Amino acid sequence: MKSVLDWPTSMPILDSSERASQRGVDDLAIFGGRPAFEQLLHVGRPNIGDRQKFSSRVDDILDRRWLTNDGPYVSEFEQRIVELTEVKHCIVTCNATIALEIAIRALGLKGEVIVPSFTFIATAHALQWQEITPVFCDIDPQTHTIDPKAIEPLITSKTSGILAVNLWGRHCDIAALEALAQRHGLKLLFDSAHAFGCSYQGRMIGGSGDAEVFSFHATKFLNSMEGGAIVTNNDELAQQTRLMRNFGFTSYDHVASLGINGKMSEVCAAMGLTNLESMDEFIAVNRRNYQQYKEELAGLAGVTLVANDETEKCNYQYVVLEIDMYRTAVSRDELMKVLYSEKVLARRYFYPGCHRMAPYKATLADLSLPETERISERVLSLPTGTSLSPGDISTICEIIKLVVNNGREVSTKLRSVAVQGSKWS
Ligand code: T4K
């Protein structure tokens, strides 16, 4: 198999005479120039492992005629995750949102649960869907994860738990959260959708709190097309979540509890297993991409690459910029529009914060989360992963440098140009 590390050193779309480094502001596509790329570059383009192995697994599935409901590939995928995370139990699911919902219900969460607002909307929805009120908490501006100091004032007699998020694969202050949860008798659940393959204090993420949830969605660095998992060291919780995943069935005619259909299919498990075999390569490519962005954007005033904790294992799946428009003279949204015109679909994950989205904003107009609001105005996620070449990254960096180094001019010109058909307008 061709290694994913062996991508060409450059994939220029523009002729050498037109390369981004030689372009001026007037050559930007948004002002009428030719886009730097012919096709859109996405954040979250799936990494795909050995196709032949995947195909042969699909053949097995078809030969066996066992497509879902606890098939052998699902069991094998769960076993591999247990080995990798060194957590006692893994229950894979159809996606991480359902995994969160099952874990929330199995833990008996009710009333109010404290959760960061700076996260993908699924974290909050998993609570609200079960008529539990998400109580939004601010974040630590360094790590973008929930600020333990901001949690205590939010605890009321209705609080049943904390749902923390290991955002971007960066771990929260897990020790502080565990101490806080213990002190107040609260359940502690981690949304670790981004953190598969990452570590905390030298141990793989997965074994903290009462349970943790991973996502294996197509856009995650390790995907099973759609998929999620609950991991826990609690035997009883594992048994309960396993039952809940399959309608609560304990045997053919016996239902022990309320349940849902949260099962993962055999094809998804086959994809997950195949991609696990390339996981080290995916991380190596992500790390290389991250380093390249870091080096090429170094010293660009007002532009910071959100750091990973290099003392821990990281999956480097998100490359996130923070744009300080008081120094760049061009806003995050203006930069994003320019990139989009060049066919680089950078994303402002997780703008504007859950508390500013429906249905939550309807009752939270007065809620102020200063760090969440400030950070969500500044962040921009850039494409990474195995579908990107180093040449692509250089071109993206050249565009960013061109825009930021001419921030005032770009911003003024943009204001005089009517941008048609913008997805974000
Ligand atoms: N908790 C957190 C903290 C999460 O971030 C997420 C999901 C969850 C919980 C819930 O996990 P799941 O229930 O999904 O397992 C995407 C993903 O759909 C979502 O899984 C992810 N977080 C979130 C951060 O990103 P969107 O709305 O941005 O997806 P979309 O369709 O715009 O796709 C993103 C980009 O990826 C696009 O530019 C196109 C590209 N793409 C996408 C797919 C599906 C591809 O190139 N190929 C593909 O197959 O949410």
Side-chain angles (χ1 to χ4, degrees):
M1 183 185 81
K2 186 178 186 304
S3 164
V4 287
L5 289 165
D6 295 335
W7 286 101
T9 50
S10 105
M11 243 199 261
I13 303 298
L14 297 170
D15 299 341
S16 54
S17 59
E18 296 174 291
R19 294 303 304 279
S21 58
Q22 288 153 10
R23 296 162 86 198
V25 168
D26 288 337
D27 301 320
L28 288 167
I30 202 155
F31 302 130
R34 192 175 152 200
F37 296 95
E38 265 165 16
Q39 294 187 339
L40 277 177
L41 298 193
H42 296 272
V43 174
R45 205 93 177 123
N47 296 320
I48 296 171
D50 188 323
R51 286 175 191 221
Q52 275 175 353
K53 280 198 180 165
F54 175 65
S55 299
S56 86
R57 284 185 166 117
V58 172
D59 282 342
D60 281 348
I61 292 167
L62 299 179
D63 289 347
R64 271 200 291 264
R65 291 176 188 263
W66 196 278
L67 308 184
T68 184
N69 290 15
D70 262 335
Y73 283 140
V74 161
S75 304
E76 196 182 333
F77 191 34
E78 289 180 339
Q79 186 51 37
R80 292 284 292 115
I81 295 167
V82 161
E83 286 159 14
L84 244 143
T85 55
E86 294 176 1
V87 179
K88 264 173 99 178
H89 306 281
C90 172
I91 299 92
V92 294
T93 55
C94 51
N95 59 57
T97 308
I98 288 290
L100 282 169
E101 288 184 20
I102 292 173
I104 286 164
R105 198 172 274 268
L107 283 168
L109 295 182
K110 56 185 183 333
E112 296 176 355
V113 168
I114 298 168
V115 62
S117 171
F118 192 61
T119 178
F120 189 58
I121 197 69
T123 319
H125 280 357
L127 294 164
Q128 187 70 44
W129 196 256
Q130 306 189 64
E131 300 188 357
I132 297 167
T133 305
V135 175
F136 294 113
C137 184
D138 216 347
I139 50 165
D140 173 339
Q142 293 307 313
T143 64
H144 297 182
T145 61
I146 195 163
D147 178 0
K149 294 191 295 302
I151 293 178
E152 210 139 24
L154 301 176
I155 297 174
T156 70
S157 56
K158 292 185 192 153
T159 311
S160 60
I162 301 167
L163 172 48
V165 183
N166 288 314
L167 202 86
W168 313 135
R170 275 207 70 142
H171 59 80
C172 306
D173 186 346
I174 293 175
L177 292 173
E178 286 183 329
L180 193 68
Q182 204 175 17
R183 205 160 57 245
H184 292 274
L186 300 175
K187 301 285 186 196
L188 179 58
L189 176 62
F190 285 94
D191 176 341
S192 297
H194 301 177
F196 189 67
C198 302
S199 70
Y200 170 69
Q201 295 186 343
R203 299 204 57 168
M204 297 311 283
I205 283 188
S208 298
D210 293 287
E212 303 205 31
V213 164
F214 295 124
S215 171
F216 302 116
H217 181 258
T219 56
K220 297 293 175 288
F221 88 100
L222 192 294
N223 82 81
S224 61
M225 300 189 178
E226 285 275 5
I230 301 163
V231 283
T232 180
N233 285 313
N234 181 325
D235 300 342
E236 209 181 311
L237 189 69
Q239 195 189 7
Q240 216 182 340
T241 50
R242 200 172 279 286
L243 287 180
M244 283 181 166
R245 178 183 67 174
N246 185 27
F247 312 102
F249 274 113
T250 48
S251 62
Y252 281 152
D253 309 315
H254 189 250
V255 171
S257 66
L258 185 64
I260 196 167
N261 182 354
K263 290 166 285 163
M264 177 181 273
S265 73
E266 282 289 274
V267 169
C268 286
M271 184 69 164
L273 280 167
T274 306
N275 283 336
L276 267 180
E277 288 157 5
S278 296
M279 175 164 148
D280 292 344
E281 285 182 276
F282 296 159
I283 292 176
V285 170
N286 280 348
R287 184 166 194 278
R288 186 183 71 188
N289 291 348
Y290 173 81
Q291 292 296 348
Q292 188 184 345
Y293 274 118
K294 192 171 162 184
E295 278 159 32
E296 296 207 18
L297 297 175
L300 194 59
V303 176
T304 321
L305 205 60
V306 174
N308 293 293
D309 181 349
E310 300 284 347
T311 65
E312 300 286 355
K313 285 192 176 158
C314 311
N315 57 34
Y316 299 90
Q317 72 177 311
Y318 288 100
V319 174
V320 185
L321 293 185
E322 265 190 56
I323 311 294
D324 177 359
M325 72 167 292
Y326 297 102
R327 297 181 68 203
T328 55
V330 66
S331 71
R332 181 274 311 270
D333 288 355
E334 288 170 329
L335 175 60
M336 185 178 70
K337 284 178 186 176
V338 172
L339 285 169
Y340 193 45
S341 301
E342 302 291 342
K343 305 222 174 159
V344 179
L345 188 41
R347 297 290 297 266
R348 47 186 184 181
Y349 290 135
F350 290 99
Y351 172 83
C354 297
H355 70 301
R356 292 281 177 258
M357 286 178 154
Y360 313 105
K361 66 177 180 182
T363 53
L364 296 176
D366 295 335
L367 177 64
S368 161
L369 298 172
E371 294 302 345
T372 300
E373 285 152 27
R374 192 177 65 85
I375 298 290
S376 72
E377 293 284 344
R378 295 162 62 120
V379 281
L380 193 61
S381 292
L382 299 176
T384 185
T386 55
S387 66
L388 218 67
S389 74
D392 294 337
I393 294 175
S394 284
T395 304
I396 295 169
C397 291
E398 291 300 340
I399 299 164
I400 295 171
K401 285 189 274 190
L402 177 62
V403 171
V404 172
N405 287 331
N406 298 280
R408 204 167 299 283
E409 184 189 347
V410 171
S411 182
T412 309
K413 272 178 88 84
L414 276 173
R415 269 182 249 130
S416 63
V417 171
V419 182
Q420 301 296 327
S422 302
K423 198 178 172 183
W424 47 81
S425 60

